[in-house]
Amino acid sequence: MALMALMAAWVVLLLVQATVYSSLVQATRQFAAIRIGALVVSGAQAVTGDTAGALALRHCSRSSRAR
């Protein structure tokens, strides 16, 4: 019985570790995507000189990736 309790604790630890790792990877990807998007918008604004046009460009690029 003690062996089962010890194994259960290790299984829970491994499952939590996998979940935390997955969450951190997803958060890192999302953070990188936001930063890249901000750089794209900043670059578009620098090229066009128009904030609204830059945001429209960003919106169009997001729409095309979602398909």
Side-chain angles (χ1 to χ4, degrees):
M1 193 58 122
L3 180 60
M4 293 291 280
L6 180 63
M7 286 181 61
W10 278 105
V11 168
V12 168
L13 180 64
L14 290 174
L15 289 174
V16 169
Q17 179 186 6
T19 303
V20 170
Y21 177 77
S22 175
S23 296
L24 289 174
V25 168
Q26 184 177 1
T28 302
R29 287 180 182 162
Q30 189 171 11
F31 181 71
I34 291 168
R35 288 192 50 121
I36 290 169
L39 289 173
V40 168
V41 170
S42 296
Q45 185 204 6
V47 169
T48 63
D50 181 22
T51 305
L55 290 175
L57 175 66
R58 175 65 182 138
H59 178 70
C60 291
S61 69
R62 284 180 57 198
S63 296
S64 65
R65 270 190 293 154
R67 294 178 194 165

